[in-house]
Amino acid sequence: MTFLSEFGALFLDKLQSPTLGFLIGGMVVAAVNSRLQIPEAVYKFIVFMLLIKVGLSGGIAIRNTENLVEMLLPALFATLTGIAIVFIGRYSLGLLPKVKMMDAIATAGLFGAVSGSTLAAALTLLDSEEMFYEPWAAALYPFMDIPALVTAIVLASIYATKQRQAAEARLNQGEYFDDQQPPQPQNTRIKIWPIIQDSLQGSALSALLLGLGLGILTDPTSVYDNFFNPAFRGLLSILMLVMGMEAAARLGELRKVGQWYAIYAFIAPLLHGFIAFGFGMIAHQITGFSYGGVVILAVIAASSSDISGPPTLRAGIPKANPSAYIGSSTAVGTPVALALGIPLYIGLAQTLMDMAG
Amino acid sequence: MTFLSEFGALFLDKLQSPTLGFLIGGMVVAAVNSRLQIPEAVYKFIVFMLLIKVGLSGGIAIRNTENLVEMLLPALFATLTGIAIVFIGRYSLGLLPKVKMMDAIATAGLFGAVSGSTLAAALTLLDSEEMFYEPWAAALYPFMDIPALVTAIVLASIYATKQRQAAEARLNQGEYFDDQQPPQPQNTRIKIWPIIQDSLQGSALSALLLGLGLGILTDPTSVYDNFFNPAFRGLLSILMLVMGMEAAARLGELRKVGQWYAIYAFIAPLLHGFIAFGFGMIAHQITGFSYGGVVILAVIAASSSDISGPPTLRAGIPKANPSAYIGSSTAVGTPVALALGIPLYIGLAQTLMDMAG
Amino acid sequence: MTFLSEFGALFLDKLQSPTLGFLIGGMVVAAVNSRLQIPEAVYKFIVFMLLIKVGLSGGIAIRNTENLVEMLLPALFATLTGIAIVFIGRYSLGLLPKVKMMDAIATAGLFGAVSGSTLAAALTLLDSEEMFYEPWAAALYPFMDIPALVTAIVLASIYATKQRQAAEARLNQGEYFDDQQPPQPQNTRIKIWPIIQDSLQGSALSALLLGLGLGILTDPTSVYDNFFNPAFRGLLSILMLVMGMEAAARLGELRKVGQWYAIYAFIAPLLHGFIAFGFGMIAHQITGFSYGGVVILAVIAASSSDISGPPTLRAGIPKANPSAYIGSSTAVGTPVALALGIPLYIGLAQTLMDMAG
Amino acid sequence: MGRQAYMLVIVTEKLLLKQVAKVIDAAGATGYTVAAAGGKGSRNVRSSGQPSVGDSFSNIKIEVLTPTKEMATMIANKVAAEFFEDYSGIAYVCNAEVLFAHKF
Amino acid sequence: MGRQAYMLVIVTEKLLLKQVAKVIDAAGATGYTVAAAGGKGSRNVRSSGQPSVGDSFSNIKIEVLTPTKEMATMIANKVAAEFFEDYSGIAYVCNAEVLFAHKF
Amino acid sequence: MGRQAYMLVIVTEKLLLKQVAKVIDAAGATGYTVAAAGGKGSRNVRSSGQPSVGDSFSNIKIEVLTPTKEMATMIANKVAAEFFEDYSGIAYVCNAEVLFAHKF
Ligand SMILES: Nc1ncnc2c1ncn2[C@@H]1O[C@H](COP(=O)(O)O)[C@@H](O)[C@H]1O
Ligand SMILES: Nc1ncnc2c1ncn2[C@@H]1O[C@H](COP(=O)(O)O)[C@@H](O)[C@H]1O
Ligand SMILES: Nc1ncnc2c1ncn2[C@@H]1O[C@H](COP(=O)(O)O)[C@@H](O)[C@H]1O
Ligand code: NA
Ligand code: NA
Ligand code: NA
């Protein structure tokens, strides 16, 4: 079984990256109740810097060479994965005992959506492993992020409508209480465009798209080389620290909403990553999508949104308990995607590359 | 007409700088209602970093070589330009229909004052064009900024006094209303030193002067070379983004105060720049003031204050509507100075240089 | 007297470092009432960056080579110095007229505790002087910081108990007022572990220990070399600016609490530094502790805590007037340690090195 | 001397600022004042979704001076009906006397 | 049980903090409390001059507890007369009962 | 229409937030609202220990709605007894009417 042993060695090797060190360091800091804080202004700015850098580097590369038609298939697969993740969550987590359907759908939506920080961490590791990936691969982000959020909000709305209709049916058989109005039949056709718009207006996606646009339309190479690129790894390490601190701080919340969320949050990122990895390999066979690109597709599937997703879901699925989805994603899902997912998919891709020749 | 064609080519070339890309990117981001924000703490710090860097580089250069007597004539011209700009505004914008005199004077004051960010953008472009300028040229800033603000506040005060006297004269001819006291003759001699002091204490000018002082008196070369200088262009690009966002966000305010402000805000920066360019060329003939220095003089004239000016005017001319002057300056004046002014004056100077030999 | 003349020359030379320039620049800025501000978020982040960098560099070095047994004696001396400083303060400052004992004990505690920024400034100067020091030397910080704070809080508590007992004794001889209960004998055994814990949880010490841990356990060399290390000097210069501004802003507070504090704050840092320098030289003789290490020990003794110390003391010695201890430390103690202490101990060490051959 | 008024205070999630402001405007109030606030209530088991490690507050406190109690209760009713089932929030009213206002 | 008092609240532009504080001190109040606030009022067409893209509030809310209503109205009168013609602002007063204060 | 209540306001040093919150919880209040505040009082000669050059407030203002005046005074008494000898602070109470609350 040389496949497994080679993969095992590569996987263990990736586990020792300093990025992970900062993540775990952050967890420890929060666990011992340290008063260490990264000010919110700095945190927001670091996220901006990372995402605009990811966008710029993609944009510059696209400007220089790319044949964007190649992107079509992976983008389609990203969209399919995003939608599939939400359905999987709705029909697994959502059917478990003591789990409210609304909470499950929102959680699945967040896990389908994408984390820019996790993506940035994967790009760093790919670069230091010198694995090639298509420069537009990071631009797959919105193709998975938006469909996942839209699907979750639509599914939640459909579920709410059905619930209401069932309630009405029951009521109509009985009588009304004195002071209670018969429920108005609400004609709430859900509108999809505002959800897409809201996603695009989020700070994370805006920064990524801004960078992409600037990279394609202007020539920011010098400022990229001298400023955005050199700061990338350092800023990422600080962001990992914050994410570790967040994860530990949210553990309590997760505990309150029940163990099913913890189990889902542990398994789902890896599963989602494998699904996307599979799709990616199909694209590899058909259009020659690179192994690095496959890893990126898997990582954005494994990641769950940390910045733009939560407010979009809070507004879009107001009945869902944010502690359920934010707790699941921040306390378990993100650390799993970062610490296990990224090394896993890179190790897997490298093993496949070696076997392929 | 080789002059015009050469100038046209140079001008178009400058228009493609990445700095402008970020400015326009910021406008787009705000126009599509993105929630992307650069935290205020970061914005303030970036402004500080840019201005202390400008100061330090000037100070270090002065410490090493300079004969500061050369600075006298350009400094005088800077002062004259600053004063002239306010008078021009008072007797053009101020006399237009539906424009309140107080608002016009304050607007002219802001356009006479100087923007550190615009200055920083010009220095960047001069550096990448490898155009020589006197290291003390950036120190011309306060020589235009302070006289413009002082002149505006004094003119506004004189105007208010005259209005009051006219009103009194009218009242004395008529009778008093029952419940109305005769207006007390107010003896408000305006004091100039507090206005100067207030300007110098502003955060932008303080940072510039601090850098200048440190550059002249200590030897910060190593920290300058390793920290302040390398970060300059990157931070400037982010500041341009913020200024683009601000410009788009203020457009609505500008619309409310009327179209005359928009027209003034478009023409004035270019006109002011040409006036200063002319003065600069005189200094060039007399004392050999460099072409780069002439550009700097023109740019600080074209720029309008974005940080220290507004609060100084809000306190100094309380009756003026801040939407008028901030809207004009931020939404139109600054983008025009950055996007048209800087390329224009550099292109012009390069054409003149080429013709001169 | 070649010793004195050589030392004098070296001392004067150190006085011209740009770090000091920024410190004095900050004082000037505040003294002229400038509105220049470094946003608090940025200030906090800079402190974090400096301390995690100090920790990382120590950790990396320890990971690579070190024999930590060598650290035992200097760590013991650090602890002794921290405790001694508090006793010295209690029996000198505390006995002066018009000085309240509680205020004196808290002030001595703050001067015994350690300032990360002063330590960072010393490390910078040592590096540019190319003086060797043990990489774990910065890790002596908590060995002086925590004992000093604990001693101060314990001494204050003992003093309070004695005062109460004396008051009770007096009361028992007299009679009770009608509406006054006899004071309950309070059995307040002071607990030491919570004070230690509180110190360790402070943001400064947490950042230092986090860096140390990451340096020892992971391999952050690349992110250290490309991010944390290059930014160090620049960020330090900005922190010096803030400290200068703080010092000038606190002068008024210091004036209110009386001149004895000013005198103590001037003499104490230098004295404490000499005591630690002496201990360090003993370690030099016994275990070969480096001259650079001796300087570091002296500097952490001379420094007084600016970030974690004040809140720990505010909570631990609530009866002490924070204006007394913060005013003394920030307005005089820290500038003296930075501007006189560091050059003094480095100059002294270099002179001794030269004499030793 | 001043004018009798009612001060309605609404503390709720940051996210709702724009929507609550719309309700206030629609009710005809002359203005409102907003401040950042933190807090603890019955719903606190629910996360606000803000990064908890940061140093910022995740609630807002909105104060509206209204000339009549009806206007205050109407705003409170609408806000409670629209949002308080799903979002955390509280609404209370105090008596006040407006001494100066540009428009009231 | 406590002492009857009046709570004067002034919401106005940040810029005026120092000057309003002077008026309060001069009136003999024992202190005041300030907080950052945003808001909308009749003057909102006027810009505050703060960067709008930033995330900060541009008003301040100042609260002063005064022992008499006269002191409260006197402060409000002075502030309104000096500033409210040119700057946006509102002033109102509530009844309060001071339970503990180091000096009141 | 709403329910009569008392709004207790405590302005004190930031440092004490957690401890004051404990007192409030112990008294059985259903929640509280916190905001950053600055201010001036009799103790202002005392430094708060915050960096003064920064732009942040060093006090907090805590508001608690209580159903009875006894609860409000009890909280104020405890906080004053425990902290106000050594820390700066003020406590006052106003009348209020709670219109909506998830629990009150
Ligand atoms: N008794 C109370 N006193 C003051 N504020 C409260 C009280 N109860 C709730 N709040 C505020 O209202 C917000 C929402 O409350 P809830 O919906 O009960 O979670 C809390 O975060 C507090 O800021
Ligand atoms: N009806 C109101 N209720 C609460 N606050 C108000 C009201 N009207 C005005 N304000 C506050 O007072 C500030 C100034 O109002 P104005 O001078 O009318 O622009 C506004 O920015 C609001 O913060
Ligand atoms: N008269 C007052 N009106 C409003 N707030 C006050 C008053 N007196 C004191 N405060 C607030 O209470 C805090 C502590 O007061 P003190 O303990 O007197 O220093 C001050 O910082 C102010 O925020
Ligand atoms: Na995902
Ligand atoms: Na100008
Ligand atoms: Na010390």
Side-chain angles (χ1 to χ4, degrees), chain F residues 24-48:
Chain F
I24 293 172
D25 283 343
T30 54
Y32 55 86
T33 299
V34 193
K40 208 188 133 185
S42 61
R43 292 269 178 130
N44 246 64
V45 282
R46 294 193 155 210
S47 163
S48 67

Side-chain angles (χ1 to χ4, degrees), chain B residues 164-199:
Chain B
R164 214 175 19 243
Q165 286 167 347
E168 280 170 43
R170 253 177 283 125
L171 264 181
N172 286 338
Q173 295 168 344
E175 64 262 277
Y176 292 119
F177 296 100
D178 257 13
D179 58 341
Q180 209 175 356
Q181 294 293 108
Q184 258 87 48
Q186 284 189 288
N187 207 342
T188 43
R189 285 201 115 279
I190 191 133
K191 294 199 197 84
I192 288 180
W193 173 239
I195 311 173
I196 297 178
Q197 204 183 16
D198 188 72
S199 295

Side-chain angles (χ1 to χ4, degrees), chain C residues 106 206 209 294 309 322 339 353:
Chain C
S206 291
L209 296 175
V294 174
M353 272 169 87

Side-chain angles (χ1 to χ4, degrees), chain F residues 10-14 16-17 34-37 58-62:
Chain F
I10 297 172
V11 181
T12 188
E13 301 183 25
K14 226 178 212 170
L16 298 178
L17 174 54
V34 193
S58 61
N59 279 354
I60 42 162
K61 183 179 160 188
I62 307 174

Side-chain angles (χ1 to χ4, degrees), chain A residues 85 110-114 144 272 299-304:
Chain A
I85 288 173
L110 204 62
F111 276 74
V114 177
M144 190 181 301
H272 301 160
V299 168
I300 63 180
S303 79
S304 50

Side-chain angles (χ1 to χ4, degrees), chain A residues 72-322:
Chain A
L72 285 180
L73 196 64
L76 176 70
F77 286 158
T79 301
L80 289 179
T81 310
I83 294 172
I85 288 173
V86 183
F87 274 93
I88 293 173
R90 191 223 174 285
Y91 289 102
S92 62
L93 180 63
L95 301 179
L96 288 170
K98 292 203 207 160
V99 170
K100 290 199 194 129
M101 181 54 84
M102 281 302 185
D103 297 354
I105 295 175
T107 306
L110 204 62
F111 276 74
V114 177
S115 155
S117 345
T118 309
L119 171 60
L123 295 177
T124 309
L125 200 51
L126 285 173
D127 287 342
S128 61
E129 297 284 319
E130 300 187 351
M131 268 184 88
F132 171 79
Y133 53 90
E134 286 78 5
W136 45 257
L140 294 173
Y141 179 150
F143 290 94
M144 190 181 301
D145 191 67
I146 295 176
L149 292 171
V150 170
T151 308
I153 294 172
V154 170
L155 281 192
S157 164
I158 291 171
Y159 179 78
T161 309
K162 279 200 193 136
Q163 290 288 93
R164 213 174 21 243
Q165 286 167 349
E168 280 170 43
R170 253 178 283 127
L171 262 182
N172 287 338
Q173 295 166 345
E175 66 261 279
Y176 290 119
F177 296 101
D178 258 11
D179 58 342
Q180 208 174 356
Q181 294 292 109
Q184 259 87 48
Q186 283 188 289
N187 207 341
T188 44
R189 286 200 114 277
I190 191 135
K191 293 199 197 84
I192 288 180
W193 174 239
I195 311 174
I196 297 179
Q197 205 183 17
D198 188 73
S199 295
L200 290 170
Q201 286 168 346
S203 56
L205 220 41
S206 292
L208 184 83
L209 295 176
L210 174 68
L212 211 56
L214 287 173
I216 295 175
L217 299 174
T218 71
D219 182 13
T221 321
S222 80
V223 77
Y224 175 83
D225 288 343
N226 294 311
F227 184 69
F228 291 100
N229 196 27
F232 189 65
R233 275 169 182 243
L235 295 177
L236 183 65
S237 68
I238 291 170
L239 193 61
M240 289 298 117
L241 192 67
V242 174
M243 294 175 83
M245 289 161 77
E246 279 289 326
R250 296 277 182 200
L251 259 185
E253 256 176 272
L254 181 61
R255 217 169 283 139
K256 274 187 211 148
V257 296
Q259 86 239 27
W260 286 122
Y261 287 95
I263 295 170
Y264 173 82
F266 192 92
I267 298 172
L270 303 178
L271 176 71
H272 301 160
F274 278 120
I275 293 173
F277 200 100
F279 275 128
M281 287 308 293
I282 297 175
H284 175 73
Q285 302 295 349
I286 300 177
T287 64
F289 189 40
S290 70
Y291 282 103
V294 173
V295 169
I296 288 173
L297 191 62
V299 168
I300 63 180
S303 79
S304 50
S305 176
D306 39 12
I307 297 161
S308 308
T312 299
L313 289 171
R314 188 82 187 92
I317 315 184
K319 297 229 169 302
N321 180 353

Side-chain angles (χ1 to χ4, degrees), chain B residues 224-313:
Chain B
Y224 174 82
D225 287 342
N226 294 310
F227 184 69
F228 291 101
N229 196 28
F232 189 65
R233 274 168 183 243
L235 294 178
L236 182 65
S237 68
I238 291 169
L239 193 61
M240 289 298 117
L241 192 66
V242 174
M243 295 176 84
M245 290 161 78
E246 279 289 326
R250 296 276 182 200
L251 259 185
E253 256 176 272
L254 181 60
R255 217 169 282 139
K256 274 187 213 147
V257 295
Q259 85 239 27
W260 287 121
Y261 288 95
I263 294 170
Y264 174 81
F266 191 92
I267 298 172
L270 303 178
L271 176 70
H272 300 160
F274 278 121
I275 294 172
F277 200 99
F279 274 127
M281 286 308 294
I282 297 175
H284 174 71
Q285 301 297 348
I286 301 178
T287 64
F289 189 40
S290 71
Y291 282 104
V294 174
V295 170
I296 290 174
L297 190 63
V299 168
I300 63 179
S303 80
S304 49
S305 176
D306 40 12
I307 297 161
S308 309
T312 300
L313 289 171

Side-chain angles (χ1 to χ4, degrees), chain C residues 36-41 43 242 245-246 249-250 253 256 310-311 314-316 318-323 326, chain F residues 13-16 19 43-57 82-83 85-88:
Chain C
L36 181 64
Q37 281 189 334
I38 304 296
E40 205 191 339
Y43 163 77
V242 174
M245 289 160 77
E246 279 289 328
R250 297 276 182 201
E253 257 176 271
K256 275 187 210 147
R314 189 81 187 92
K319 296 227 170 304
N321 180 354
S323 289
I326 296 173
Chain F
E13 301 183 25
K14 226 178 212 170
L15 190 74
L16 298 178
Q19 287 160 281
R43 292 269 178 130
N44 246 64
V45 282
R46 294 193 155 210
S47 163
S48 67
Q50 296 292 111
S52 62
V53 175
D55 39 9
S56 73
F57 292 126
E82 263 190 64
F83 305 113
E85 195 186 338
D86 298 327
Y87 298 92
S88 66

